[in-house]
Amino acid sequence: MVKIHLSKLLGERKWSQADLVRMTGIRPNTISEIYNELVDRINLERMDLFCEALECDIDDLLEYVPNRRRRVKPLD
């Protein structure tokens, strides 16, 4: 699974979601869904804006955590 660390990064900076809305122009509902990890897909342009605003790398924002049970089939 992929974890989104937007809430952690905002908390470390003591920023609100509204602060990020003002900085990036991304809709509040979109930021809230990403913040709460309720999304299946993330637009790369938004990730770019988040990284620029938060002055972070993409690996600070996203983390791959292996699933407990493998979901892909091996190639034969």
Side-chain angles (χ1 to χ4, degrees), residues 1-12 17 20 29-43 46-47 50-51 54 56-65:
M1 88 177 84
V2 175
K3 300 288 294 170
I4 303 170
H5 295 297
L6 183 59
S7 61
K8 180 182 108 179
L9 293 172
L10 290 180
E12 289 172 356
Q17 292 180 42
L20 197 56
N29 287 351
T30 301
I31 288 181
S32 177
E33 289 172 354
I34 296 169
Y35 180 94
N36 290 298
E37 299 187 71
L38 300 174
V39 294
D40 291 327
R41 296 173 184 85
I42 301 178
N43 178 289
R46 290 184 184 127
M47 291 295 98
F50 289 158
C51 288
L54 295 164
C56 69
D57 292 324
I58 194 75
D59 60 336
D60 297 323
L61 195 54
L62 301 174
E63 174 189 9
Y64 172 69
V65 178

